[in-house]
Amino acid sequence: MMLSRASLFVCQGDRMWHFAISVFLIELYGHNLLLTGIFGLVVAGSVLLLGALIGDWVDRNPRNKVAHLSLFIQNVSVTICSIVLMLVFSYKKRIEEIWDGWLTVVCYTVVIILADVANLASTALTIAIQRDWIVVITGYNRGHLAGMNATMRRIDQVTNILAPLAVGQVMTLASNVVGCGFILGWNLMSLIVEFIFLSRVYRIVPELSVKPPVLEHQSCLEKTRERKSSDGRRSECPPAGVSEENTTSLQSQEQSRVPPCIHRLRVLLSTCREGWRAYYRQQVFLAGLGLAFLYTTVLGFDCITTGYAYTQGISGSLLSILMGVSAVAGLLGTVLFTKLRKACGLVNTGVISSGLHLGCLMLCVCSVFTPGSPMALGVLDVRNVSDVGGMAGGQQRHGYPMRVGSNLPLLPDRSSIHWTNNTVLFENAPSGTEPESYVSIILLFLGVITARVGLWSFDLSVTQLLQETICESERGVVNGVQSSMNYLMDLLHFLMVISAPQPHHFGILVIISVLFIFTGHTMYFLYARKAKRKPRIET
C-alpha cells in the first residue's frame, strides 16, 4: 500500500513533466517542433547508450541508496530546469540580446540536458522500484506479484490522463511561467513525500536491506569479467616460477601505464557489452525483444495518430472522449491479465493477449483500404517526390479537397491547439478537410482502442516474466538493456514518420506498424513454445 502511494506521486510528477516539457520547448522556439525533436532524440539516445550502465549501477548498490539518489537527482533536475524555464519565459527578449543571441542557445541546451538527466534518473528509479523492490516486497509470490504489477499499471494509466489535464489547465488559465512554478512546487513537495514513503517501505520490509553479498553473489558482469580474466591467465600458461602474485602485479603495472580516463572508458564499454550479452543469455530474451518491437508503431494516442485524425475532420472534443475510452480499455487490460494468469498461467496469458492484440489491430489494417482512407501508393513513387505535399497533378485517392501544392500540416499554429495528455487536440480545423466517408477513421480508432486491452495484458505478462526469471544479481542490468531496446525501437517509429510525414502516407505507416507488432508477437510465440517444451524435456 505504501509503495503504491509512492508510485502514485512518482507517476504523477513524471507525467506532468513529460507533458509540460514538450509544450515548453515548442513555446520557446517560436511554435516550432525543432527543439522537441532534438529533445526526443537526446532522451532516446542517452537511454539507448546508458541503459546497461544504469542497470549495472542499480545492481551494485544498496536498494535504499539507489532509490533515494535517483529520486533526488530526478526532482532536483526538474526543479532547476523549471527555474531556468521561468527565467527564459520572463526575460526572453532581454536574453536574446545578450551575446548576439547565443545565451538563448545556452539556455536551450541547459534545459534539454537537465530534462535528459531527469529522464535517466527516472529510468533508474523505475528499474529499482518496479523491477526489483516489487519482487522482494511480494515475497516472490507470483499471485501477489501479478496483483501488484496490475495495480502499478492502473496507477500509470490514470495519471497518464489526470496529470497532463492538471498542468494543462494551469498553463491555459494562467501562463507558462505559472505552469513552470506549479511543476516546481509539485516536485519539491513530492520529493519529501516520496522520500518518506520509500523510507518507510524500506524499514517495513527487512528483506529490502538484504542484497546478495558481494563476494558470494557478484553481479553477472563481474562474474563474466573474472571468468574471462581467469580463462585468459590459464590459456597464457605463464612460465614456471612466475607466481600468481607476480602476474597480478604485472597486470596492475600495465593498467597504470594507461591514462585513467582511457581505462575508465574501457571499463564502461566493457560493462555495456557484457550487459547486452547478459540480456541475450536470458531465457526470456525473445519475449523481451518481442515487447520492444511493439514500440515501433503509430497506432497509439500520441501526437502522430491524433494529428492524422485532425486532418480527417475529427474534432478535439471527440478526440478527448476517445482518449478517455482508450484509458478505460487499458484498465480493462490490467483486469484481464490478473484473471487470465489465474486461469491459464503466465505464459499462456501472454499468448492469449498477443492474439487479442493482433486481432484488434486487423481493424486498423482494414481501415487503410476502406472508404475515406486518404492512402495513395503513388505518392511514394520517385517521380512524384517533388509533389509530396499536394499529390502530383492534383490527383487524389480520396474525396476531401486538397489544394495542389499545399502542405496540409499535421500540426497547425499553436493558437489553435489545446495540449492534453501528451496529445495535440485541434479545435479550429480548417474547412474542407472532411473525408468522403468516416468508415476508415472509425475502423482505425476502433482497432486502436480495443487493442489496448490485449496490449497492456501482454505488457504485464512479459514484465512479470522478466521479474520471475532474471536472477537478483543481474535484475537491474537486464532491465536497463530492455529499456534501451524499447527506446531503440521507438526511435525507428519516429524515423518512419519523418520518412512519410503526410496524411496520405499514414496507411503505409499503419501497415508497417502492424508488421513490426506481428514480428514482436511471433518472437513471443517462439519463446512460449520453447518454455512449454522445456518442462517435458526435464521430466
Side-chain angles (χ1 to χ4, degrees):
M1 187 66 179
M2 198 71 65
L3 186 64
S4 300
R5 293 176 182 175
S7 298
L8 177 61
F9 277 88
V10 172
C11 290
Q12 182 79 4
D14 279 351
R15 293 298 186 180
M16 287 171 56
W17 173 245
H18 289 160
F19 166 76
I21 187 63
S22 301
V23 180
F24 290 152
L25 291 175
I26 291 177
E27 290 283 359
L28 284 176
Y29 205 67
H31 303 165
N32 192 295
L33 294 174
L34 177 62
L35 283 183
T36 306
I38 293 175
F39 171 67
L41 183 63
V42 170
V43 167
S46 60
V47 177
L48 177 60
L49 295 175
L50 304 176
L53 296 177
I54 293 173
D56 189 48
W57 176 74
V58 172
D59 285 334
R60 290 173 179 269
N61 292 275
R63 290 187 174 96
N64 61 336
K65 178 183 176 181
V66 170
H68 292 158
L69 188 57
S70 301
L71 187 64
F72 179 78
I73 294 175
Q74 178 192 14
N75 284 271
V76 169
S77 299
V78 172
T79 299
I80 298 175
C81 191
S82 299
I83 293 174
V84 174
L85 286 170
M86 292 175 69
L87 294 174
V88 173
F89 281 126
S90 300
Y91 305 101
K92 187 175 182 180
K93 292 184 179 179
R94 189 177 302 177
I95 292 174
E96 290 175 349
E97 297 172 356
I98 302 176
W99 298 348
D100 295 329
W102 283 102
L103 182 58
T104 305
V105 177
V106 172
C107 292
Y108 294 163
T109 305
V110 170
V111 167
I112 290 176
I113 291 175
L114 288 173
D116 184 47
V117 171
N119 183 74
L120 291 174
S122 176
T123 301
L125 187 62
T126 300
I127 293 173
I129 300 299
Q130 298 187 15
R131 301 295 184 268
D132 183 28
W133 281 43
I134 188 174
V135 180
V136 178
I137 291 173
T138 55
Y140 300 88
N141 183 293
R142 295 182 176 182
H144 294 165
L145 182 59
M148 185 68 77
N149 283 329
T151 300
M152 292 289 189
R153 191 53 49 86
R154 288 166 193 156
I155 291 174
D156 183 68
Q157 288 292 299
V158 172
T159 54
N160 193 28
I161 296 293
L162 298 181
L165 282 175
V167 70
Q169 290 301 316
V170 173
M171 294 165 59
T172 302
L173 298 176
S175 64
N176 291 324
V177 176
V178 176
C180 292
F182 177 75
I183 293 177
L184 188 153
W186 176 272
N187 275 272
L188 291 177
M189 180 197 69
S190 63
L191 173 61
I192 300 173
V193 176
E194 292 163 13
F195 191 93
I196 293 174
F197 281 159
L198 290 178
S199 298
R200 292 185 63 181
V201 171
Y202 189 79
R203 288 195 302 268
I204 293 172
V205 184
E207 291 81 2
L208 290 173
S209 60
V210 180
K211 259 197 168 183
V214 178
L215 295 178
E216 296 181 10
H217 300 280
Q218 293 169 309
S219 71
C220 175
L221 306 187
E222 291 176 336
K223 289 181 179 179
T224 305
R225 283 196 286 267
E226 288 187 357
R227 202 160 46 239
K228 285 187 174 181
S229 61
S230 62
D231 292 342
R233 286 195 295 269
R234 291 172 188 168
S235 61
E236 287 173 2
C237 296
V242 179
S243 62
E244 185 176 349
E245 289 78 5
N246 292 335
T247 305
T248 305
S249 63
L250 289 174
Q251 291 178 349
S252 62
Q253 290 177 4
E254 291 178 0
Q255 291 180 355
S256 63
R257 297 173 186 173
V258 180
C261 58
I262 301 298
H263 176 67
R264 183 61 179 170
L265 180 61
R266 288 179 179 177
V267 172
L268 294 178
L269 292 177
S270 176
T271 301
C272 290
R273 183 176 63 253
E274 297 303 334
W276 284 86
R277 288 180 178 176
Y279 178 72
Y280 176 75
R281 288 194 302 267
Q282 299 300 315
Q283 298 177 3
V284 289
F285 165 71
L286 284 176
L289 188 61
L291 177 64
F293 265 69
L294 269 58
Y295 280 75
T296 309
T297 179
V298 297
L299 300 174
F301 276 91
D302 55 10
C303 59
I304 296 170
T305 306
T306 51
Y308 168 76
Y310 161 72
T311 65
Q312 301 302 294
I314 303 300
S315 65
S317 59
L318 179 57
L319 278 172
S320 61
I321 295 174
L322 293 176
M323 286 162 49
V325 176
S326 174
V328 173
L331 293 175
L332 291 177
T334 63
V335 176
L336 177 67
F337 165 73
T338 55
K339 301 294 184 183
L340 286 178
R341 195 207 65 83
K342 290 181 180 179
C344 308
L346 188 58
V347 176
N348 289 332
T349 297
V351 173
I352 297 172
S353 302
S354 294
L356 178 61
H357 188 209
L358 285 172
C360 293
L361 289 181
M362 289 300 103
L363 294 174
C364 300
V365 176
C366 293
S367 72
V368 175
F369 306 99
T370 52
S373 173
M375 187 182 77
L377 296 177
V379 298
L380 299 180
D381 194 287
V382 177
R383 295 169 296 180
N384 296 333
V385 169
S386 60
D387 295 309
V388 141
M391 295 204 162
Q395 295 179 359
Q396 305 166 16
R397 292 284 303 274
H398 52 286
Y400 66 87
M402 181 178 287
R403 293 185 297 275
V404 178
S406 64
N407 291 327
L408 187 60
L410 287 178
L411 295 175
D413 183 74
R414 174 69 174 84
S415 59
S416 64
I417 300 175
H418 279 291
W419 296 89
T420 308
N421 189 34
N422 267 341
T423 306
V424 185
L425 301 183
F426 304 89
E427 282 194 338
N428 304 321
S431 59
T433 61
E434 293 80 8
E436 62 182 6
S437 173
Y438 285 96
V439 174
S440 176
I441 197 69
I442 290 174
L443 285 177
L444 175 69
F445 277 97
L446 184 61
V448 170
I449 292 173
T450 54
R452 311 300 279 184
V453 180
L455 172 63
W456 290 118
S457 180
F458 176 77
D459 181 271
L460 286 169
S461 300
V462 177
T463 297
Q464 184 155 341
L465 283 171
L466 292 170
Q467 292 170 332
E468 291 182 0
T469 57
I470 299 173
C471 64
E472 185 176 358
S473 61
E474 55 186 4
R475 195 176 287 154
V477 68
V478 173
N479 281 285
V481 176
Q482 180 68 46
S483 298
S484 297
M485 283 299 307
N486 295 344
Y487 273 94
L488 174 62
M489 303 309 293
D490 196 38
L491 273 178
L492 293 181
H493 134 257
F494 283 110
L495 291 176
M496 284 166 43
V497 177
I498 293 172
S499 302
Q502 296 300 322
H504 42 258
H505 298 158
F506 193 79
I508 304 296
L509 299 182
V510 169
I511 295 174
I512 296 175
S513 299
V514 173
L515 289 176
F516 268 95
I517 293 172
F518 177 78
T519 303
H521 286 307
T522 301
M523 292 178 181
Y524 183 83
F525 292 150
L526 294 175
Y527 161 76
R529 180 184 178 186
K530 184 178 179 180
K532 291 179 181 178
R533 291 176 59 185
K534 188 175 180 180
R536 299 177 186 174
I537 296 175
E538 292 178 350
T539 55

